[in-house]
Amino acid sequence: MRKKKIIYIIPLLFIIALLGFKSDVYFQISKSFDIFSSIYRLIYENYVLEIDTKTLIKNGIDGMLKSLDPYTEYYDEEDTENLEYFASGSYTGLGITVSVIDSQLTITGIKEDYPAYKSGIKVGDRIYRIDNNIVINIDTEKLKDYTRGEQGSNLQMYVINNNNDTILHSLNRETIKMDNISYYEAINNQVAYIKLDRFTRTSASDIKKAIYDMRHNDQIKGMILDLRDNPGGLLDASVNVAELFLPENSLVVSTKRRNLENSGEYYTYNKPLEPDIPLCIIINENTASASEIVAGAIQDYDRGIIVGNKSFGKGLVQSIFDVPYNGHLKITTSKYYTPSGRCIQRLDFAEKYKGKIVQNSKDTIQYHTKNGRKVFDLNGILPDSIINNEIDNPIFVDFYNNFIFFKFAKYYIKINNLKNLDNIQNDNELYNSFINYINHSDIKYTNNIFSSLENVKNELKTNNSMKKSLESLKLLELEIKKELLNELPKYKSELLYQIKYELYLRFYKEKKIAKIMIENDPIIKKSINILLSDNYKKLLSPSNQ
């Protein structure tokens, strides 16, 4: 009898302890809410300035979420359109992309056949005013408050063009549909090329249409899916895209939550559209999330080769929950794993909870593909063939950060009074014009080398006895700058590629620009050579490692 009592008492004690644990958790939650609401009320009633209560609470929520990871976000009622854009790739606006260049809102891209394009607005125009609001010095996110709105609603936009003339454009907002595929083409009638920019509900069907359109040519011998700079999107969309190439009933990705019972596995259900054609996936450091799911699955099954540079490494999955008053909360709920079992999350955000600095993991675990090739986790997707298009010269970082190619194109068009590109200089003259431009421009170099030197100079300035060393450091800085600039001829083709792209943006339509850039893209050229050679099979063989 005594043994039976022990059998019943132990579970009872466990239940009591569990209830006590939950009770303590709920008490801490209640206590935290009391503290928060008390602070909120005291600030509202006593702060020296009048408080915008909505902004205050939004900042409080954002502050709480920032302690978690970069992808957990709150969307209030006004932000709902951003979530819909994430899922569908559409929004209501004008069809422009903007950046802040020299503290001014500048148009850097215009989508064809939408309000801004039809009105004659040009790349390089600066947005001065919208209706009665001066906006030229606001940030890009704030601009959405003025450009987004209801379908068909009107706004008055004043822009400053390249000649510093202020021009009024009356624009009606439209639903802007961002194409999942920015370009596709049967290159040399041999390789079907598809540039996929995002993963939305229709990505897989769009790829199907592109393939059918190119399949009228029986000479297609290979396929390239270009996922460079593709930040991802919907998880289901990535599974649907992978399904086009993988056998039915193939595991594409698995997700693991904190509560393992709620984890999931995602399989292909239909027969693949392209089960056998040699396949190449191009990735780079900005290939992330859903793009990495596709690349990881293709690599694990040895269905194709991965080419380019190592991907971003975002292995975190977000779920969207409704909150009161038409808001939404996007929460990181799980990590995803490729079919071989590797997690490609580059950063361990869990370290935040231990008070440690979040950094790249140095330890990787080895896994194997279907053919037995070695692959690794915790660092993103590592290509089977690393085709590095990176430029070693750090001064290029400053060219990009300071929009030097963009500014040069504006300058070049103005001084040459270009109305089209028929009279563009030959490559040597164009290159020399650019070198002359940067030599006479006040470019602030802030890459790692110069920022480190600047830090040392600031330290030396605080010590009067170090003036001689400070002068020596300034001379060293000039010498380094001279050396880096003298190296530029080594990168002449890369410089011309960027310069011409900026010039094309101002005169050509999107499809024509894409075609020209693809024909001159060294990574695409090398990928085609791999696909059409014996090297393709060698890369998929374990003996290659």
Side-chain angles (χ1 to χ4, degrees):
M1 292 294 292
R2 189 173 293 176
K3 287 184 179 180
K4 285 187 178 180
K5 286 182 180 178
I6 293 174
I7 291 173
Y8 286 102
I9 287 172
I10 291 174
L12 182 61
L13 290 174
F14 177 77
I15 292 169
I16 293 171
L18 186 61
L19 289 173
F21 171 75
K22 286 189 174 181
S23 175
D24 184 61
V25 170
Y26 292 139
F27 170 74
Q28 291 298 330
I29 293 174
S30 178
K31 177 182 175 182
S32 299
F33 277 128
D34 286 344
I35 294 171
F36 183 85
S37 61
S38 178
I39 292 173
Y40 179 78
R41 184 178 64 255
L42 288 169
I43 291 174
Y44 175 73
E45 293 175 349
N46 297 286
Y47 190 67
V48 64
L49 300 175
E50 186 176 351
I51 295 295
D52 181 337
T53 55
K54 181 180 177 181
T55 301
L56 184 63
I57 198 70
K58 179 72 161 55
N59 291 340
I61 294 171
D62 290 344
M64 174 174 61
L65 300 183
K66 282 180 181 178
S67 69
L68 303 177
D69 65 77
Y71 312 111
T72 296
E73 298 176 291
Y74 167 64
Y75 296 82
D76 61 20
E77 189 172 7
E78 287 77 11
D79 291 332
T80 300
E81 187 179 25
N82 291 331
L83 265 184
E84 179 56 29
Y85 171 68
F86 176 78
S88 67
S90 65
Y91 67 94
T92 303
L94 307 177
I96 58 174
T97 55
V98 296
S99 296
V100 176
I101 301 178
D102 294 334
S103 301
Q104 297 183 335
L105 272 180
T106 306
I107 296 173
T108 54
I110 300 175
K111 190 158 179 60
E112 289 175 31
D113 301 325
Y114 286 110
Y117 179 87
K118 290 184 285 189
S119 182
I121 292 173
K122 304 292 185 184
V123 168
D125 288 352
R126 289 155 287 165
I127 305 174
Y128 174 69
R129 194 174 105 190
I130 295 179
D131 295 328
N132 295 319
N133 305 288
I134 305 298
V135 299
I136 192 166
N137 298 125
I138 66 175
D139 62 47
T140 56
E141 281 300 310
K142 186 65 177 175
L143 181 67
K144 292 178 183 177
D145 294 342
Y146 303 101
T147 58
R148 302 286 176 94
E150 294 183 5
Q151 168 82 10
S153 58
N154 179 266
L155 63 80
Q156 306 293 305
M157 177 184 284
Y158 296 81
V159 302
I160 302 172
N161 67 13
N162 206 22
N163 294 319
N164 289 322
D165 298 322
T166 301
I167 301 174
L168 169 63
H169 296 270
S170 181
L171 306 170
N172 293 326
R173 297 176 178 89
E174 293 182 20
T175 298
I176 312 297
K177 174 63 177 173
M178 301 300 292
D179 296 329
N180 292 313
I181 297 174
S182 56
Y183 188 77
Y184 68 88
E185 176 190 359
I187 300 176
N188 298 327
N189 293 324
Q190 287 186 301
V191 175
Y193 172 86
I194 299 173
K195 179 70 174 76
L196 185 69
D197 293 329
R198 59 189 55 83
F199 285 83
T200 71
R201 300 183 186 104
T202 63
S203 293
S205 60
D206 289 345
I207 293 176
K208 282 183 181 180
K209 291 175 185 176
I211 291 175
Y212 284 136
D213 191 33
M214 291 183 283
R215 264 299 179 195
H216 70 276
N217 189 332
D218 295 332
Q219 299 179 35
I220 296 295
K221 299 177 181 178
M223 183 171 295
I224 294 175
L225 181 61
D226 193 342
L227 298 181
R228 285 177 293 180
D229 302 317
N230 186 322
L234 300 179
L235 174 61
D236 289 343
S238 68
V239 176
N240 294 337
V241 169
E243 188 178 62
L244 299 174
F245 307 103
L246 297 177
E248 58 184 320
N249 299 319
S250 297
L251 175 65
V252 176
V253 63
S254 59
T255 60
K256 295 182 181 179
R257 301 171 71 109
R258 184 176 66 187
N259 181 356
L260 293 179
E261 292 180 1
N262 294 325
S263 300
E265 294 181 332
Y266 298 80
Y267 290 83
T268 60
Y269 290 106
N270 300 307
K271 291 183 178 180
L273 180 67
E274 293 289 351
D276 302 311
I277 191 170
L279 175 65
C280 172
I281 308 286
I282 306 180
I283 63 174
N284 66 4
E285 63 280 359
N286 296 319
T287 300
S289 190
S291 297
E292 293 173 295
I293 290 176
V294 173
I298 295 297
Q299 187 176 54
D300 281 359
Y301 285 108
D302 294 303
R303 172 59 189 86
I305 59 169
I306 311 300
V307 166
N309 289 305
K310 186 169 68 175
S311 65
F312 182 81
K314 180 184 177 292
L316 301 176
V317 184
Q318 287 72 48
S319 302
I320 298 173
F321 300 88
D322 294 337
V323 298
Y325 301 101
N326 300 317
H328 297 86
L329 186 61
K330 179 160 67 76
I331 304 177
T332 297
T333 53
S334 56
K335 291 183 179 180
Y336 69 72
Y337 295 77
T338 69
S340 66
R342 53 188 169 135
C343 177
I344 59 173
Q345 176 58 33
R346 179 170 57 95
L347 300 177
D348 184 6
F349 291 102
E351 292 295 324
K352 283 189 175 184
Y353 301 106
K354 302 172 186 177
K356 297 179 181 179
I357 297 174
V358 178
Q359 56 188 1
N360 289 351
S361 174
K362 296 180 181 178
D363 300 321
T364 58
I365 303 173
Q366 181 176 300
Y367 295 85
H368 293 88
T369 68
K370 183 181 178 181
N371 289 347
R373 295 186 299 131
K374 297 175 184 177
V375 288
F376 303 90
D377 72 351
L378 298 177
N379 277 303
I381 299 294
L382 187 66
D384 304 310
S385 177
I386 297 176
I387 302 178
N388 197 342
N389 205 33
E390 295 289 323
I391 297 170
D392 293 333
N393 193 318
I395 221 161
F396 270 71
V397 174
D398 297 303
F399 287 169
Y400 290 118
N401 290 345
N402 292 293
F403 296 92
I404 298 303
F405 299 114
F406 185 94
K407 292 177 183 178
F408 172 72
K410 178 180 177 179
Y411 160 83
Y412 183 82
I413 290 169
K414 187 172 183 177
I415 64 167
N416 291 286
N417 194 29
L418 288 184
K419 304 300 181 186
N420 53 57
L421 293 182
D422 294 339
N423 298 322
I424 191 173
Q425 296 173 323
N426 63 45
D427 284 356
N428 288 332
E429 291 173 335
L430 184 60
Y431 171 78
N432 290 333
S433 294
F434 178 76
I435 296 300
N436 183 62
Y437 173 80
I438 61 173
N439 284 334
H440 292 86
S441 298
D442 184 21
I443 301 172
K444 186 172 179 59
Y445 295 100
T446 58
N447 62 66
N448 289 338
I449 293 176
F450 290 102
S451 62
S452 298
L453 288 173
E454 191 65 27
N455 290 334
V456 177
K457 282 197 298 182
N458 290 334
E459 289 292 328
L460 294 177
K461 287 176 183 178
T462 62
N463 192 327
N464 291 328
S465 63
M466 302 297 288
K467 286 184 178 180
K468 187 175 181 179
S469 297
L470 182 61
E471 291 302 317
S472 298
L473 194 61
K474 289 179 180 178
L475 292 174
L476 175 63
E477 186 176 25
L478 290 173
E479 188 62 31
I480 292 173
K481 177 182 173 182
K482 180 180 177 182
E483 184 176 338
L484 292 174
L485 289 172
N486 286 339
E487 274 194 344
L488 291 184
K490 288 168 49 179
Y491 308 105
K492 181 177 178 180
S493 60
E494 289 85 355
L495 283 167
L496 287 169
Y497 187 87
Q498 295 298 329
I499 292 166
K500 288 180 179 179
Y501 175 73
E502 291 294 344
L503 290 171
Y504 296 154
L505 278 177
R506 289 153 172 83
F507 293 102
Y508 294 154
K509 291 187 176 182
E510 293 171 298
K511 301 298 182 184
K512 183 174 182 177
I513 295 173
K515 182 176 178 62
I516 294 172
M517 303 310 288
I518 285 167
E519 289 173 350
N520 294 281
D521 189 318
I523 292 182
I524 293 176
K525 289 180 179 179
K526 291 176 182 177
S527 298
I528 292 173
N529 289 336
I530 293 173
L531 276 175
L532 302 181
S533 70
D534 293 337
N535 199 27
Y536 178 78
K537 289 184 178 179
K538 290 179 181 178
L539 287 171
L540 294 175
S541 170
S543 61
N544 185 59
Q545 297 183 325

